[in-house]
Amino acid sequence: MKQTLEALLKHAVDALQNEGVLAKDLSINIIIERSRDAQHGDFAANLAMILAKHAKMNPRVLAEKLIAALPDDNAVSKVDIAGPGFINFFMDASAQFDILKVIHEQGADFGHSQVGAGKKVQVEFVSANPTGPLHVGHGRGAAYGSVVADLLTAVGYNVQREYYVNDAGRQMDILATSIWLRYLEECGEPVRFPENGYRGEYVRDIARDVYRNVNNDYRRPFDLVLENIPADESQGGDKEAHIDALIARAKVLLGDGYADVFRAGLTTILDDIRDDLHEFGVDYQHWFSEQSLVNDGSVAKALAKLKASGHLYEKDGALWFASSTLGDEKDRVVKRENGQYTYFASDIAYHMHKLERGFDKIIDIWGADHHGYIPRVKAAIQALGADADKLHVLLVQFATLYRGAEKVQMSTRSGEFVTLRQLRDEVGKDAARFFYVMRRSEQHMDFDLQLATSKTSDNPVYYVQYAHARVCSVFRQLVEKGLPRDLLSGMEFINKLTEEHEAALLSTLARYPETVERAALSYEPHQLILYLRELANDFHTYYNSHQFLVDDANLRDARLNLISAVRQVLANGLKLLNLHAPESM
RNA sequence: GCGCUUGUAGCUCAGCUGGAUAGAGCAUCGGCCUUCUAAGCCGAGGGUCGCAGGUUCGAGUCCUGCCAAGCGUGCCA
């Protein structure tokens, strides 16, 4: 309907340009928006106010000329000038009813579109180090990323979801070493566990698995393990040096066994993460291994490419990327003095790999604490000869957990954190997803566990789901009362829907496709949640003030068609968010 | 110090990219179940949009400067 009005206005502008009222070379962006207030009609255009200056004319006068030049259209019943020069459009009531037919015909596809035109987009999200179970901080990224991906799919993009597995870094070595030390404890060795090791209970679980598989094969006397190892922090030393030495020692003492322990940790934890996310309604097309970039020479290749284009130099025995010439604050090391690549080096290779895979758009979803990392990655993409605007980094703030008014304390290091699994157990998948995505992703968020589990009207998840269940309930009542339903007759007598509440619902329903599109293109799932709450509210209000199963069969059929459309749109929206649309509650 | 993000009702947050009288939920107060599910609805109170300038027909939204909070500023990931 917006497009129709835009076309009409365009026509009027052309006419005025031909008459010489408006300059021909004017670049005009016609914006039609929905009126917030029903008094202002259904749609409004601010065109006259924007053009007033160029035309050297009072906006209201110009609006009058525009309206005079407007072609007739059946869908428009009245056009007004209001306020400083708004052009308000009142749409014909019969045109408003068309949306019900559209919803009925398109069903589950209603709201989908092709604005993405099949362009290839990659959405990479969560990508937490596989050094332990996901915690609630990752949950928000998971919920947000998956909905962004689903929204983009709904508007016609060809979306690939990817998880980048950081299986190559030092953190993984710390994990493997932690597992081995817990294993030695299992064997009965008097282990002093390093302060920088991973202390979570899951490390012991993996260690026990290893023990079950190899018995004492990897057992070494702890005295030997500790020989000449620099002291840990509480012993007056440096905890980083201590753990690094332990890692090196583990590799020496275990030989091939080290890789075995390492793999046990990686696969166990990755399987757990995969399973966890799956149950949270998050699935990926690809799990991309960082180690594979090192193994297949991609990192070396990426650096060679940077070197060839003159973006690398050596200093202090290390290899540097001159990112400061491309907008970064300072240059960054890609290969350390000790010959090892930095994390950033594999990230350059990773993004080169993404570029080579031919995505039109690359979306990285990161925790907001990584925001300082954006300029260097963009610099890398540019240095690789690609367009840095292809990369869109979306930031997700952490959520602070509350139980009522009480803040839930968390600390990853000590192992005392709330896992995503615990959250799902406590509040359920639907409430968790809904709450995570309810707020703008860059906004700090307070997640109240008590509210999310409350089965009262306080809880917005139930509010929306209840609206869906209520429609279903009406149809059950219809059957119980033995009343017939005639869909076609309902469409035929659709103009019996003359109540204010019905008009409001029709207009809200019509807004769904543009809401989905806006939410998708601006990566803002909360727009969809907001919409669903509005639609649910419109419905509940309607429900409370009018009976649907009335004696007048024609009116009844018309109303059933309306609420059936409401149910369809609620279901479509809930599905996009990967939430259940319950038939009863 | 510099950079990024945030600042809107008592609390948690929206505000459609510059539009008309700044909205919603919770909380508070007052109403509505003999009727399709009260997990619902209706009503009331509650605001210097952090502060000060600027841009223009028009600013919560844009620009500048302050103030406050969070994060970043590693040859960590």
Side-chain angles (χ1 to χ4, degrees), chain A residues 466-521:
Chain A
Y466 181 46
H468 183 272
R470 255 186 162 175
V471 178
C472 295
S473 169
V474 172
F475 278 91
R476 278 195 299 273
Q477 279 293 319
L478 180 78
V479 172
E480 273 176 36
K481 291 184 176 177
L483 294 169
R485 182 196 174 197
D486 189 331
L487 191 129
L488 291 179
S489 153
M491 290 302 182
E492 192 183 332
F493 291 97
I494 206 75
N495 57 4
K496 285 194 168 239
L497 301 179
T498 54
E499 300 288 346
E500 222 173 280
H501 291 126
E502 290 163 344
L505 267 177
L506 286 167
S507 140
T508 304
L509 287 172
R511 255 170 51 212
Y512 180 68
E514 66 205 55
T515 302
V516 172
E517 185 176 315
R518 192 157 57 87
L521 297 182

Side-chain angles (χ1 to χ4, degrees), chain A residues 169-229:
Chain A
R170 174 170 170 264
Q171 296 303 322
M172 286 306 295
D173 281 323
I174 296 179
L175 175 75
T177 302
S178 300
I179 293 169
W180 183 53
L181 292 171
R182 290 303 191 200
Y183 159 89
L184 290 179
E185 281 182 344
E186 264 327 279
C187 297
E189 287 294 326
V191 171
R192 200 193 145 275
F193 200 77
E195 274 139 57
N196 226 7
Y198 284 100
R199 316 189 77 94
E201 194 52 37
Y202 62 91
V203 177
R204 287 184 196 275
D205 292 341
I206 298 168
R208 274 192 282 270
D209 283 345
V210 172
Y211 183 76
R212 259 192 295 278
N213 285 334
V214 303
N215 291 314
N216 285 314
D217 288 3
Y218 299 156
R219 180 170 181 173
R220 305 289 184 273
F222 192 63
D223 285 350
L224 185 63
V225 174
L226 222 46
E227 202 174 67
N228 294 327
I229 296 285

